[in-house]
Amino acid sequence: MAAAEAFKRLVSHVILDLDGTLLNTDGVMDEVMKKFLVNHGKQWDKRSVHRIVGKTPLEAATAIVEDYELPYTVEEFVKEVTPLFSNEWRNIKGLPGATRLIRHLRSHGVPLALASNSPKKIIDSKISYHHGWKESFSVIIGGDEVSMGKPSPEIFVEAAKRMNVDPSSCLLIEDSLPGVTAGKAAGMEVIAVPSLPKQAGLNNLADEVINSLLDLHPEQWGLPPFQDWVEGTLPIEPWYIGGPVIKGFGRGSKVLGIPTANISPEGFSDVLSEHASGVYFGWAGLSDRGIYKMVMSIGWNPYFDNTEKTIEPWLLHEFNEDFYGEELRLVIVGYIRPEANFPSLESLIARIHKDREIAEKSLDLPTYACYKDAQYLKSVSHLNNCRV
């Protein structure tokens, strides 16, 4: 970037939230509360997460006790569930791009702070399972070290104070409305990375809203740019999914003129929750036909307003017949762009064809081409011979 005018605003320090920003805690919340409530004859509603996202632990506990009319005081409830959550901290995975961002900023000497509504002891426990995280932060501050949690700006003001920097020189990355509100009140530049879709107010309040940490461009804030993009694509740690081809929404061929090969998300819903919505590419193996280049979308398809997260692969080959019921296996190796809405069907179709061009060209690069030989595409077991 040649000119300073291209920057959104120059910053020197970065502050990160933890839950929902760096760690995928929603899955653990669902599992723990599902099991806990079953013992009380109640069923966990995933929509409850919307009410507690960004809240302090005490506020979240209060909301759950009230919403589910549990026979506990808030203090009793916290005492009951705390050990259940503690047993799960080791299972929480980093969100897409989290480790990449932390390593990048640390390697370039950018001062980092971690500020979360969680108690400091719990923060330390959570990040202890992620190699290199703890030593990357010059400041780690928990909600029990300030008098008021988010949306009060106190925790972020204190983080800046401990780093000996003015809040206006800090870039905050947050996932929730309370966190974004706190950051702006502290006088910081704020990027929102929503952990839950359709959080009203984020677009108007945050300085930038991105789909995932994969879409962060530090150079826009005067920070060192990532150097790992390859001809407009981002190599990712490959992941593998598969299943029989099923009938989808009926819009691939009929509406878009693009025949997608859908597989049911039921068998790998946990895998989908670990990956950011967006457009990816890789290799597809059909049990009785061969191996083909593939581009696919993951997400809610905002143009069609899906109610659940889906995966829709497009095999880049002309087939003369349908292959419903055949075993389809996918090796996803690269990322193109975030999920987006479009003003018209024509603009959506044009963008999909652009994604196809990018995928077809990129899969010929050595970085991605070697995965065509992955044993997973041909047999039950797979062998990862490539390194990203």
Side-chain angles (χ1 to χ4, degrees):
M1 201 168 289
E5 290 75 19
F7 297 125
K8 293 179 182 291
R9 182 168 175 175
L10 293 174
V11 298
S12 57
H13 293 59
V14 176
I15 301 176
L16 298 169
D17 172 52
L18 182 61
D19 298 311
T21 301
L22 297 177
L23 291 179
N24 183 16
T25 49
D26 289 347
V28 168
M29 170 66 75
D30 287 342
E31 286 302 312
V32 170
M33 291 311 305
K34 192 184 301 180
K35 294 176 182 177
F36 180 84
L37 291 174
V38 162
N39 294 331
H40 294 78
K42 299 178 185 292
Q43 186 174 359
W44 172 248
D45 185 343
K46 287 188 175 183
R47 291 173 295 182
S48 299
V49 177
H50 283 268
R51 190 173 173 208
I52 62 178
V53 64
K55 302 291 187 181
T56 66
L58 188 61
E59 290 169 340
T62 301
I64 292 173
V65 169
E66 292 177 352
D67 288 353
Y68 290 92
E69 299 178 344
L70 296 174
Y72 298 100
T73 64
V74 173
E75 291 73 17
E76 290 171 339
F77 172 73
V78 170
K79 186 176 180 180
E80 286 284 327
V81 300
T82 295
L84 303 180
F85 280 107
S86 297
N87 292 335
E88 294 295 330
W89 296 151
R90 73 191 64 208
N91 299 322
I92 301 178
K93 295 185 178 181
L95 284 162
T99 296
R100 170 179 175 253
L101 174 63
I102 292 170
R103 288 176 177 171
H104 173 74
L105 294 177
R106 183 189 183 192
S107 69
H108 286 85
V110 178
L112 277 174
L114 183 61
S116 169
N117 269 342
S118 295
K120 175 66 161 52
K121 183 178 180 180
I122 291 180
I123 295 173
D124 288 339
S125 178
K126 289 177 180 177
I127 66 176
S128 69
Y129 298 103
H130 298 270
H131 180 70
W133 282 25
K134 185 172 184 178
E135 52 268 36
S136 297
F137 296 101
S138 59
V139 170
I140 299 177
I141 180 171
D144 57 337
E145 298 180 80
V146 293
S147 60
M148 296 181 66
K150 309 167 194 178
S152 165
E154 183 182 357
I155 193 168
F156 295 134
V157 171
E158 178 63 22
K161 180 180 178 181
R162 294 187 188 184
M163 289 196 292
N164 297 313
V165 66
D166 191 272
S168 63
S169 295
C170 295
L171 175 66
L172 169 67
I173 304 177
E174 259 280 0
D175 73 297
S176 70
L177 184 58
V180 171
T181 302
K184 293 309 298 179
M188 298 178 176
E189 299 299 303
V190 181
I191 295 177
V193 193
S195 57
L196 298 173
K198 301 178 181 178
Q199 290 188 61
L202 281 181
N203 288 337
N204 296 329
L205 193 56
D207 297 287
E208 182 182 12
V209 179
I210 59 178
N211 185 65
S212 78
L213 294 176
L214 299 177
D215 306 307
L216 177 63
H217 293 280
E219 68 273 15
Q220 295 179 345
W221 303 91
L223 299 171
F226 287 112
Q227 300 292 340
D228 50 357
W229 285 82
V230 178
E231 296 190 15
T233 65
L234 180 63
I236 61 174
E237 189 68 28
W239 47 290
Y240 307 79
I241 55 175
V245 177
I246 63 171
K247 291 191 175 183
F249 296 96
R251 64 187 179 218
S253 297
K254 296 177 182 178
V255 179
L256 300 172
I258 298 165
T260 55
N262 297 282
I263 50 181
S264 172
E266 291 182 6
F268 49 88
S269 57
D270 290 344
V271 176
L272 281 186
S273 71
E274 296 169 5
H275 295 277
S277 58
V279 177
Y280 297 78
F281 62 94
W283 297 96
L286 276 171
S287 55
D288 299 324
R289 298 173 187 266
I291 297 173
Y292 309 94
K293 293 179 178 180
M294 174 276 301
V295 64
M296 71 181 198
S297 68
I298 297 177
W300 289 268
N301 280 310
Y303 183 84
F304 294 102
D305 199 23
N306 285 4
T307 57
E308 62 179 14
K309 197 172 185 179
T310 61
I311 175 172
E312 298 184 37
W314 179 17
L315 276 59
L316 306 182
H317 179 79
E318 295 294 331
F319 294 94
N320 296 323
E321 58 186 355
D322 293 330
F323 41 86
Y324 295 124
E326 290 189 32
E327 182 76 10
L328 173 65
R329 298 190 175 190
L330 307 175
V331 178
I332 298 94
V333 299
Y335 175 76
I336 297 176
R337 64 173 177 85
E339 185 175 52
N341 205 346
F342 293 86
S344 67
L345 183 62
E346 291 74 21
S347 60
L348 169 60
I349 293 172
R351 180 66 244 203
I352 293 174
H353 282 283
K354 178 64 175 177
D355 295 332
R356 171 181 182 157
E357 293 175 7
I358 294 172
E360 284 193 310
K361 180 180 178 182
S362 297
L363 286 166
D364 289 330
L365 298 172
T367 300
Y368 304 118
C370 60
Y371 288 102
K372 184 178 181 179
D373 297 324
Q375 288 300 312
Y376 177 79
L377 296 173
K378 308 167 187 176
S379 62
V380 175
S381 62
H382 71 270
L383 177 64
N384 178 3
N385 291 318
C386 295
R387 292 291 180 266
V388 175

